[in-house]
């Protein structure tokens, strides 16, 4: 008997063993008999050709070896949503058929059947389905909604659905499922290669309560996002990773409620694409990991001024990009609400080998930052970073036209472009004194590292730690480091040290602004920490 092929098989998603594919052809392939499915595999390594067989092209593939012909009985066209839910949560009728003997009881040699047990089991099943709020049918081969209103009748309380990595063929299918879930708040349909609307669609109330939507690895374009977005009036979080999105467009009257946008692993054309989404009024978190951007620039604001772009942006992630110039970090100080930054794995970080110095430079350049690379910035650490920055670049400031006399203080445009916060730091702490700048080592020279043992004499449960610290590191910065290392507030720390040469003698490290070398600390000495 010939295998059944759905009438809408063309374009459908199928599962063949553990491999996913899209049906590109249904029909005969002479000289063989019977019906074949021409499929394009998600993993092109699984294929054999580009849809051409014996000189005839039956279908097209993106990859020259991404296609195969399979018999229909090898293809799993999937199940409806409710069948997948019942299977996943052990609520399917078939499981009760297998345990049918549970409806009988034996008294001696007599078997007594409990009439109505099937209907009771069905009622219990319905109750359990109705209690489900958070449903995950990931990798359950869901391909369609099923009978109309069946989901709303059976699972009335669903609020969160994970439909990732299934056989969903189109946004239309997603809508058919969601239209039966009255209070849907979270929807994850990642890892489904789908067709999205190519023209604007009529706005419905299907997604009126949706707050979180994940569309990672769905091959959606930004244009398609904007075409669907009028149907998401309450959306707060949108995840769009790994979709080959290269260009953005301005969202006009859509996505205005968005608080989080994740565009990671999309190779954007350039950093200027960000200007097109810069006026989303409520956007608080923007995730741009591995997007290929090499620079960030806010041209509407000058040195020391705030941009009108990204007015609500508090958290920014730009890890794993190609940002090579410190100028882009300077630009981030223009963001009026920025509080948290992640920027690991960018070329600009290679300009400074000491990670502690690198952290201090970023802190000094971005005035309102409270968290850097997931580590909190304490007031003591910020003060130390800003004072150090003011000293480190003091000679450059003088050489560029800076002066202790306010009337003569006219640093060059080039200096201000490289150090836009320098004037405000001078206002905050005063211009660096001449004595501070004498004999100052250039930042590029490697400071002498001291190997020190750090102990907490009043906390014996804290094991001693060995750290290498630059001898030019101020006590204030040491405290900031120890706060993160020992998870205690830096402002409350009291530091002293014992010399390896003078046993029993303890010297208090009492001036936060002095470097370690001021106290003649040497390799092998022990820093004592109390709080």
């Amino acid at each position: 008997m010939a295998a059944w092929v759905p009438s809408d098989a063309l374009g459908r998603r199928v599962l063949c063993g553990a491999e996913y594919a899209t049906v590109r052809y249904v029909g005969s392939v002479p000289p063989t008999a019977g019906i074949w499915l021409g499929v394009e595999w998600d993993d092109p390594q699984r294929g054999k050709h580009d849809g051409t067989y014996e000189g005839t092209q039956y279908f097209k593939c993106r990859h020259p070896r991404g296609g195969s012909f399979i018999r229909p009985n090898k293809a799993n066209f999937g199940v409806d949503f409710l069948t997948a839910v019942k299977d996943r949560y052990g609520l399917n009728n078939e499981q009760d058929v297998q345990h049918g003997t549970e409806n009988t009881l034996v008294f001696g040699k007599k078997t007594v059947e409990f009439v109505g047990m099937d209907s009771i089991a069905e009622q219990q099943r319905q109750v359990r389905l109705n209690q489900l709020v958070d449903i995950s049918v990931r990798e359950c081969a869901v391909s369609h909604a099923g009978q109309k209103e069946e989901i709303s009748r059976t699972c009335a309380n669903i609020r969160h659905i994970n439909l990732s990595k299934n056989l969903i063929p189109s946004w239309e299918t997603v809508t058919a499922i969601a239209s039966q879930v009255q209070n849907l708040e979270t929807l994850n349909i990642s890892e489904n290669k789908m067709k999205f609307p190519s023209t604007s669609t009529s706005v419905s109330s299907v997604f009126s309560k949706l707050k979180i939507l994940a569309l990672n690895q769905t091959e959606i374009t930004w244009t398609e996002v904007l075409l669907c977005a009028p149907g998401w009036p309450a959306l707060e979080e949108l995840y769009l990773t790994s979709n080959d999105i290269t260009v953005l467009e301005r969202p006009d009257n859509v996505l205005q409620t968005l608080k989080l946008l994740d565009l990671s692993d999309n190779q954007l054309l350039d950093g200027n694409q960000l200007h097109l989404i810069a006026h989303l009024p409520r956007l608080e978190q923007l995730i741009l990991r591995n997007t290929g951007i090499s620079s960030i620039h806010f041209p509407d604001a000058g040195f020391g001024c705030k941009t009108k772009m990204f007015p609500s942006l508090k958290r920014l992630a730009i890890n794993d990009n190609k940002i090579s110039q410190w100028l882009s970090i300077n630009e981030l100080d223009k963001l009026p609400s920025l509080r948290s930054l992640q920027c690991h794995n960018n070329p600009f970080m290679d300009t400074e080998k000491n990670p502690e110095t690198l952290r201090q430079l970023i802190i000094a350049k971005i005035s309102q930052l409270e968290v850097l690379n997931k580590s909190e910035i304490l007031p003591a650490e910020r003060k130390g970073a800003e004072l150090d920055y003011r000293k480190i670049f003091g000679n450059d400031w003088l050489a560029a036209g800076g002066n202790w006399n306010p009337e003569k203080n006219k640093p060059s445009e080039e200096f201000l472009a490289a150090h836009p916060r320098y004037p405000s730091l001078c206002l905050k702490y005063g211009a660096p004194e001449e004595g501070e700048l004498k004999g100052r080592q250039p930042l590029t020279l490697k400071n002498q590292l001291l190997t020190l043992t750090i102990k907490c004499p009043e906390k014996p449960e804290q094991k001693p730690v060995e750290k290498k610290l630059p001898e030019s590191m101020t006590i204030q910065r040491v405290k900031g480091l120890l706060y993160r290392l020992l998870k205690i507030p830096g402002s409350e720390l009291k530091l002293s040290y014992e010399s390896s040469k003078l046993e029993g003698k303890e010297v208090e490290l009492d001036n936060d602004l002095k470097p370690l070398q001021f106290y003649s600390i040497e390799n092998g000495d022990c820093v004592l920490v109390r709080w």
Side-chain angles (χ1 to χ4, degrees), residues 3 24 90 168 185 188 221 273 360 466 481 502 517:
R24 300 295 185 202
I168 307 287
E185 293 178 12
N188 183 356
T221 65
Q273 295 300 311
Q360 302 301 317
E466 195 173 271
L481 173 71
L502 298 167
Q517 63 196 13

Side-chain angles (χ1 to χ4, degrees), residues 24 42 141 151 259 355:
R24 300 295 185 202
D42 288 9
I151 299 170
K259 292 182 179 179

Side-chain angles (χ1 to χ4, degrees), residues 404-466:
W404 291 282
N405 182 341
E407 291 179 6
K408 296 180 181 179
N409 181 29
K410 294 177 182 176
S412 67
E413 288 287 309
E414 289 80 8
F415 179 83
L416 292 175
H419 309 284
R421 280 209 73 213
Y422 203 88
S424 64
L425 293 178
C426 287
L427 284 172
K428 188 173 181 179
Y429 300 108
E433 295 173 17
E434 198 169 358
E436 292 180 87
L437 302 181
K438 279 183 179 176
R440 184 82 198 174
Q441 277 188 314
L443 190 64
T444 50
L445 289 182
K446 187 177 179 182
N447 290 323
Q448 184 67 41
L449 291 175
L450 298 170
T451 303
L452 304 173
T453 302
I454 295 164
K455 287 183 183 176
C456 305
E458 293 171 3
K459 306 280 182 180
E461 68 275 10
Q462 287 266 11
K463 292 182 180 178
V465 180
E466 195 173 271

Side-chain angles (χ1 to χ4, degrees), residues 24-270:
R24 300 295 185 202
Y25 173 79
V26 181
S28 59
V29 182
T32 59
I35 298 295
W36 290 90
L37 301 179
V39 299
E40 182 178 5
W41 300 101
D42 288 9
D43 177 8
Q45 303 299 319
R46 177 73 172 74
K48 295 179 179 178
H49 50 71
D50 65 350
T52 302
Y53 180 72
E54 301 267 325
T56 302
Q57 185 160 45
Y58 292 90
F59 61 97
K60 291 182 179 180
C61 288
R62 295 182 192 180
H63 193 276
R65 294 183 62 82
S68 295
F69 288 105
I70 61 171
R71 289 296 190 184
N73 63 354
K74 298 287 186 185
N76 176 1
F77 281 90
V79 298
D80 66 86
F81 176 78
L82 206 52
T83 297
V85 171
K86 289 175 180 177
D87 285 346
R88 170 57 63 88
Y89 293 94
L91 300 170
N92 222 329
N93 294 351
E94 292 171 16
Q95 288 159 341
D96 292 325
V97 172
Q98 292 167 10
H99 304 290
T101 53
E102 291 174 9
N103 292 354
T104 62
L105 198 60
V106 178
F107 290 97
K109 291 181 180 180
K110 285 186 178 179
T111 300
V112 180
E113 184 176 347
F114 287 89
V115 179
M117 283 298 283
D118 285 341
S119 61
I120 290 170
E122 176 60 29
Q123 286 173 13
Q124 289 175 336
R125 204 165 31 246
Q126 292 295 338
V127 168
R128 286 180 67 187
L129 282 167
N130 254 318
Q131 287 174 343
L132 292 173
V133 174
D134 192 335
I135 282 178
S136 175
V137 283
R138 176 178 169 81
E139 290 189 90
C140 287
V142 178
S143 62
H144 56 288
Q147 291 180 16
K148 202 171 183 182
E149 303 308 321
E150 194 181 8
I151 299 170
S152 55
R153 200 166 48 244
T154 314
C155 304
N157 290 306
I158 301 176
R159 289 178 182 270
H160 314 283
I161 300 177
N162 181 353
L163 263 169
S164 60
K165 205 165 187 181
N166 277 289
L167 301 175
I168 307 287
S170 66
W171 182 251
E172 191 180 348
T173 304
V174 176
T175 304
I177 294 170
S179 64
Q180 300 182 54
V181 183
Q182 297 302 310
N183 297 304
L184 187 61
E185 293 178 12
T186 307
L187 179 60
N188 183 356
I189 43 176
S190 302
E191 297 174 80
N192 284 286
K193 289 193 174 184
M194 292 189 293
K195 283 185 179 176
F196 291 91
S198 55
T199 57
S200 57
T201 54
S202 56
V203 178
S204 70
S205 60
V206 171
F207 300 102
S208 61
K209 296 180 181 177
L210 190 67
K211 291 182 179 177
I212 301 171
L213 176 60
L215 289 164
N216 306 323
Q217 288 179 255
T218 55
E219 300 190 344
I220 194 169
T221 65
W222 185 252
T223 301
E224 289 165 345
V225 168
L226 297 186
L227 286 171
C228 295
W232 310 330
L235 195 66
E236 294 182 1
E237 298 183 16
L238 180 58
Y239 298 86
L240 296 169
T241 70
S242 306
N243 277 312
D244 296 325
I245 293 171
T246 55
V247 292
L248 304 176
E249 299 168 47
R250 190 181 294 273
D252 289 323
N253 302 316
V254 291
L255 303 178
Q256 300 299 296
T257 55
L258 206 61
K259 292 182 179 179
L260 181 153
L261 177 61
D262 189 350
L263 288 167
S264 299
D265 300 308
N266 292 290
Q267 295 305 298
L268 297 177
L269 191 62
D270 53 44

Side-chain angles (χ1 to χ4, degrees), residues 160 251 274 284 317 320 328 336 388 396 398 413 430 435 449 460 483 488 491 500 506 511:
H160 314 283
L274 302 182
E284 294 180 4
D320 306 305
S328 291
D388 267 14
D396 293 350
L398 288 172
E413 288 287 309
L449 291 175
Y483 163 74
I488 42 177
S491 55
S500 55
E506 198 174 316
N511 189 332

Side-chain angles (χ1 to χ4, degrees), residues 241-471:
T241 70
S242 306
N243 277 312
D244 296 325
I245 293 171
T246 55
V247 292
L248 304 176
E249 299 168 47
R250 190 181 294 273
D252 289 323
N253 302 316
V254 291
L255 303 178
Q256 300 299 296
T257 55
L258 206 61
K259 292 182 179 179
L260 181 153
L261 177 61
D262 189 350
L263 288 167
S264 299
D265 300 308
N266 292 290
Q267 295 305 298
L268 297 177
L269 191 62
D270 53 44
N272 291 334
Q273 295 300 311
L274 302 182
H275 299 165
L276 297 167
I277 56 168
H279 298 286
L280 291 171
R282 298 184 190 176
L283 190 67
E284 294 180 4
Q285 186 168 358
L286 182 59
I287 307 169
L288 299 169
R289 295 189 190 96
N290 187 32
T291 50
I293 55 174
S294 57
S295 65
I296 296 173
H297 183 45
F298 304 113
D300 66 321
F303 306 137
C305 300
K306 297 299 181 187
T307 177
K308 290 181 180 177
M309 299 187 190
F310 297 106
S312 303
L313 191 66
K314 293 179 181 177
R315 295 179 290 281
L316 177 64
I318 50 172
N319 327 26
D320 306 305
N321 279 298
K322 299 174 183 175
I323 297 169
S324 58
Q325 300 292 323
W326 279 96
L327 293 175
S328 291
I329 302 304
N330 293 340
E331 288 291 303
L332 296 181
D333 189 50
K334 295 179 180 180
L335 291 168
S337 303
L338 188 66
R339 298 293 181 270
S340 173
L341 175 67
Q342 291 182 46
C343 58
H344 280 309
N345 299 332
N346 277 286
F348 81 87
M349 301 187 79
D350 298 335
T351 60
E352 174 51 58
K353 299 303 178 191
N354 185 331
E356 193 63 29
T357 303
L358 185 70
R359 179 177 168 86
Q360 302 301 317
L361 287 172
I362 298 169
I363 291 170
K365 282 177 174 289
I366 307 175
S367 59
Q368 297 171 119
L369 211 57
E370 294 172 358
V371 179
L372 175 57
N373 292 326
K374 298 185 179 181
S375 177
E376 186 183 359
I377 301 166
L378 292 165
E381 185 182 15
R382 170 162 292 285
K383 184 178 180 182
E386 292 178 342
L387 283 169
D388 267 14
Y389 190 93
R390 171 179 148 277
K391 289 180 195 173
I392 287 167
F393 297 102
N395 285 324
D396 293 350
W397 170 70
L398 288 172
N403 199 290
W404 291 282
N405 182 341
E407 291 179 6
K408 296 180 181 179
N409 181 29
K410 294 177 182 176
S412 67
E413 288 287 309
E414 289 80 8
F415 179 83
L416 292 175
H419 309 284
R421 280 209 73 213
Y422 203 88
S424 64
L425 293 178
C426 287
L427 284 172
K428 188 173 181 179
Y429 300 108
E433 295 173 17
E434 198 169 358
E436 292 180 87
L437 302 181
K438 279 183 179 176
R440 184 82 198 174
Q441 277 188 314
L443 190 64
T444 50
L445 289 182
K446 187 177 179 182
N447 290 323
Q448 184 67 41
L449 291 175
L450 298 170
T451 303
L452 304 173
T453 302
I454 295 164
K455 287 183 183 176
C456 305
E458 293 171 3
K459 306 280 182 180
E461 68 275 10
Q462 287 266 11
K463 292 182 180 178
V465 180
E466 195 173 271
K467 292 291 288 183
K468 288 189 176 182
L469 303 177
E471 62 180 12

